[in-house]
Amino acid sequence: MSVDLNGIGPGQVNTTRTTADKATGSQSTPSTAGEQAKAQSTAARGDNVSLSNQAKNLKHLEQKLGDYPEMDDDRIAQIRAALEDGTYKIDAEKLAQKMLEMDKSIFG
């Protein structure tokens, strides 16, 4: 699968070398190229990744949250029934307080 970035396809890759590249390229010998490949493979083996405790805790929390359903179907059914019956009451003070808390958490 090829990726087209800004209209550049696999046949349109810029392979022009700068004068600095040409100067160093003409001086390289097979042994230099072999040494470079060896250094790259050694560096690749030496790379490792370790996660901080905070990252591990976040991953654990994410897994725990994945166990909970995204929506509480029972609560949705209760609200829907109350709306149909006309018995659903909105506490304007509580709603306003929640809106202020959300505004404060976003804008400080």
Side-chain angles (χ1 to χ4, degrees), residues 57-77:
N57 290 339
L58 285 173
K59 184 66 176 170
H60 181 68
L61 181 62
E62 181 183 16
Q63 289 172 345
K64 280 179 129 178
L65 287 174
D67 295 340
Y68 293 105
E70 289 186 31
M71 295 180 284
D72 185 357
D73 293 332
D74 294 334
R75 180 72 177 139
I76 292 171

Side-chain angles (χ1 to χ4, degrees), residues 42-56:
T42 303
R45 277 187 266 131
D47 291 345
N48 65 9
V49 176
S50 61
L51 297 176
S52 67
N53 285 335
Q54 185 179 13
K56 291 176 184 175

Side-chain angles (χ1 to χ4, degrees), residues 3-105:
V3 178
D4 182 40
L5 300 173
N6 298 325
I8 298 174
Q12 299 171 321
V13 177
N14 185 4
T15 58
T16 309
R17 295 173 60 187
T18 64
T19 54
D21 290 339
K22 289 178 184 176
T24 59
S26 63
Q27 295 174 355
S28 70
T29 61
S31 64
T32 307
E35 290 172 8
Q36 288 176 349
K38 190 177 191 181
Q40 287 176 350
S41 67
T42 303
R45 277 187 266 131
D47 291 345
N48 65 9
V49 176
S50 61
L51 297 176
S52 67
N53 285 335
Q54 185 179 13
K56 291 176 184 175
N57 290 339
L58 285 173
K59 184 66 176 170
H60 181 68
L61 181 62
E62 181 183 16
Q63 289 172 345
K64 280 179 129 178
L65 287 174
D67 295 340
Y68 293 105
E70 289 186 31
M71 295 180 284
D72 185 357
D73 293 332
D74 294 334
R75 180 72 177 139
I76 292 171
Q78 289 173 354
I79 293 172
R80 184 171 285 142
L83 285 170
E84 289 174 359
D85 296 348
T87 58
Y88 186 76
K89 301 293 182 206
I90 297 173
D91 184 357
E93 228 176 276
K94 185 177 179 181
L95 176 63
Q97 185 62 39
K98 291 289 185 178
M99 290 173 70
L100 287 172
E101 288 172 8
M102 187 174 89
D103 186 46
K104 187 176 181 180
S105 71

